[in-house]
Amino acid sequence: MSVSRIRGVRMAGLASAVPQRIVPTSDYEAVFGAAEIAKVIRATGVQRRRVAPDGMCTSDLCFAAGERLLDDLGWERDSVDSLVFVSQTADYVLPATSCLLQDRLRLPTTCAALDLNLGCSGYIYGLWVASHLVASGASRRCLLAVGEVASRRIGPRDRSAVMLFGDAGTVTALEPTEDRETSWTFDLGTDGSGGKHLIVPAGGTRLLPGVQNDVVRTYDDGNPRSLNDLYMNGSEIFLFTLNRVPQLLSGIEQAAQVSRNEVDAFVFHQANEFMLKHLMKNMALPAEKVPLILKDYGNTSSASIPLALTATLGERLSQEPLNLILAGFGVGLSWGAASLKTANVVVPPIVEVDESVIQEPLYSVPQ
């Protein structure tokens, strides 16, 4: 258990951006049949997703969210001196996507920028890193950009995943506060022995890109996909979640010395509605305190927690102090929880973006 408490930092703002394109789950009836679609909706809760068009990358979505947030906050760009980008669908193998966002958001060249390669737990880990930067005095102001275009990594006929994952980009603004009494508490953990259960096999240096990786094969689970596509062992991830999350929730409550009744909202990674409702029942959490957005957005991986905050708690975040517990869990295998107190958070409406936000590639093949 890796527990830390951080003082002297506040969440100043939070913005989310999604593609304009809406893909109803019912669109897959021609491929999988109406009975299978009804089964998927019952199991996952996903009725529609926001899906990025060709060419739209994670940085495009985070850029749209960041532009809106900086404008609404009224922050001078020169006042931002660190940028943390969290995603498992970076624009390029290199350079780091955070470098591209620094330039595109017109942040100063004195701004430190780094990428974190994390998925389901990524928002919690990103908050942990970014809040340490601010609380330590290393940064005056930090932008945490978290997002995915996860739909790009799914085989089009893989029924275990193709109707589940959506796309989104988010930006959280952190700055110092004179309130030294209030602390944020984090509880983080990792079990890399389960890495094989949620993986994109090809594309790194373990299995280099190549045309052979594009070959679609049907695997033991009956789903066709290539080595460039995401593989998810749903039953193993389900068991991991049911075993780990109750421990994680109890651990963060104990570490933060907060009772369950004091918490205004428990915002979990939006993995699967059936699974989350099962957890809510087992942990005796009231439904009104556990936001669910899978119906409209699907599983947006690292972006799911900040997107859920924006979609369901935006008005309350801006108007009243809130005690929050956030929890992410999944790919890695990795998990993390945070106990936060927020007040006066600037939360713009969710930004819907079209193809006009797409940035031209940095490199093109000579004609």
Side-chain angles (χ1 to χ4, degrees):
M1 181 173 66
S2 175
V3 173
S4 58
R5 294 176 185 84
I6 302 173
R7 299 182 188 277
V9 61
R10 66 177 294 266
M11 183 184 295
L14 170 64
S16 299
V18 296
Q20 282 187 344
R21 181 186 174 201
I22 299 174
V23 178
T25 307
S26 58
D27 281 3
Y28 291 87
E29 285 187 4
V31 179
F32 300 118
E36 182 67 21
I37 298 307
K39 179 181 176 182
V40 167
I41 293 175
R42 283 197 305 272
T44 66
V46 181
Q47 297 187 22
R48 62 193 68 87
R49 298 167 296 127
R50 297 301 183 109
V51 176
D54 290 345
M56 185 176 288
C57 295
T58 306
S59 72
D60 297 318
L61 293 165
C62 289
F63 166 73
E67 282 285 279
R68 178 61 188 267
L69 183 57
L70 287 168
D71 287 345
D72 282 21
L73 282 170
W75 279 11
E76 294 292 334
R77 309 285 169 134
D78 287 350
S79 71
V80 179
D81 48 17
S82 62
L83 170 65
V84 178
F85 174 77
V86 182
S87 181
Q88 297 204 302
T89 53
D91 291 18
Y92 301 95
V93 173
L94 58 93
T97 305
S98 58
C99 297
L100 307 182
L101 277 171
Q102 172 273 327
D103 176 63
R104 200 171 177 193
L105 288 169
R106 307 188 306 283
L107 304 180
T109 56
T110 53
C111 177
L114 72 150
D115 283 18
L116 298 177
N117 180 13
L118 285 164
C120 311
S121 64
Y123 186 67
I124 307 302
Y125 272 81
L127 272 179
W128 178 62
V129 170
S131 57
H132 269 295
L133 290 173
V134 173
S136 69
S139 289
R140 292 172 298 167
R141 285 172 167 169
C142 180
L143 294 183
L144 171 62
V146 181
E148 307 284 352
V149 283
S151 65
R152 297 283 173 73
R153 288 295 194 179
I154 309 299
R157 297 183 64 86
D158 184 348
R159 72 183 65 198
S160 70
V162 71
M163 294 170 277
L164 179 59
F165 289 91
D167 305 326
T170 71
V171 173
T172 305
L174 303 180
E175 66 180 358
T177 175
E178 295 181 358
D179 178 7
R180 306 296 299 184
E181 299 301 317
T182 302
S183 64
W184 289 4
T185 305
F186 292 87
D187 185 353
L188 310 171
T190 313
D191 180 8
S193 68
K196 63 186 177 181
H197 297 311
L198 192 49
I199 186 172
V200 176
T205 56
R206 183 68 63 191
L207 189 55
L208 288 166
V211 292
Q212 72 275 12
N213 299 333
D214 293 327
V215 178
V216 175
R217 303 172 177 87
T218 299
Y219 289 81
D220 292 342
D221 61 1
N223 290 303
R225 57 182 172 270
S226 76
L227 293 174
N228 290 315
D229 297 327
L230 179 141
Y231 163 68
M232 179 173 62
N233 186 330
S235 59
E236 287 290 341
I237 299 300
F238 189 86
L239 288 173
F240 156 74
T241 302
L242 295 187
N243 289 329
R244 177 55 57 185
V245 175
Q247 299 176 39
L248 183 61
L249 183 60
S250 296
I252 193 65
E253 289 172 339
Q254 181 177 356
Q257 298 181 341
V258 61
S259 73
R260 202 159 290 187
N261 291 334
E262 294 175 296
V263 178
D264 295 301
F266 301 84
V267 186
F268 296 114
H269 164 52
Q270 304 289 296
N272 175 295
E273 189 171 289
F274 175 81
M275 182 168 67
L276 289 177
K277 287 184 174 179
H278 189 77
L279 284 169
M280 290 160 56
K281 181 179 179 180
N282 285 355
M283 297 185 294
L285 297 178
E288 64 271 16
K289 286 191 175 186
V290 184
L292 296 175
I293 61 167
L294 282 143
K295 173 184 174 182
D296 294 315
Y297 298 101
N299 179 343
T300 55
S301 192
S302 64
S304 74
I305 293 174
L307 181 60
L309 286 168
T310 310
T312 65
L313 293 170
E315 187 172 337
R316 292 183 67 190
L317 284 165
S318 65
Q319 295 182 358
E320 60 181 287
L322 292 179
N323 290 327
L324 303 175
I325 285 184
L326 316 179
F329 39 86
V331 61
L333 297 170
S334 174
W335 58 89
S339 174
L340 313 178
K341 291 187 178 181
T342 66
N344 303 315
V345 183
V346 172
V347 186
I350 293 174
V351 181
E352 298 188 355
V353 298
D354 59 19
E355 288 86 346
S356 65
V357 78
I358 297 174
Q359 189 177 39
E360 289 294 321
L362 296 180
Y363 186 87
S364 58
V365 177
Q367 299 299 317

